[in-house]
Amino acid sequence: MKVLMVCLGNICRSPLAHGILAEKMKSWEVDSAGTANYHIGKLPDPRSIKVAKDHGLDITYQRARQIEKKDLSYYDLILTMDAENYNNVLKLADHPSKKEKVQLILNFLYPGENRVVPDPYYNGRFEEVYMLLDKATDAILNQYST
Ligand code: 4NP
């Protein structure tokens, strides 16, 4: 299974989702990307690095990149953090089979509710984001691992 985690900047939420899922499922190919181009090449936000470290996870191998159209062909599942990311990724999908790959990550935890992972960039609530993503990735594994 190849999974791409997507948020806006690829420095706060999706690097955590990426690091958490990659650690839980070492046989899967996991990556992350942002819809925006502001932070290309940067390390995750220091607050994401810290909250990951607090939970025993090192995410400093990651560097931000922007999602590209070819990612929708390559990955099996493209998991977005909020409605804005979801809509922007869908704009890159030129075929229904690609649209089907794009989901809101919290719909694995709260099916059909279209809940979003709140952006912690301004409010600083990184621990809350970590806990949500930890639970959501467990729900993904329950659904896909046999
Ligand atoms: P992320 O958070 O989408 O979870 O990586 C953000 C990072 C940067 C900005 C906004 C959100 N920004 O405006 O630069």
Side-chain angles (χ1 to χ4, degrees), residues 7-13 38-39 119 121-122:
C7 62
L8 174 62
N10 192 210
I11 55 168
C12 297
R13 292 166 291 177
Y38 329 131
H39 299 289
D119 186 347
Y121 188 70
Y122 294 108

Side-chain angles (χ1 to χ4, degrees), residues 106-119:
L106 289 189
N107 276 345
F108 284 89
L109 190 57
Y110 305 110
E113 294 189 21
N114 295 337
R115 292 200 202 184
V116 302
V117 181
D119 186 347

Side-chain angles (χ1 to χ4, degrees), residues 46-59:
R47 298 165 294 176
S48 281
I49 292 175
K50 178 173 187 304
V51 78
K53 196 174 171 207
D54 289 345
H55 291 272
L57 197 62
D58 179 11
I59 60 167

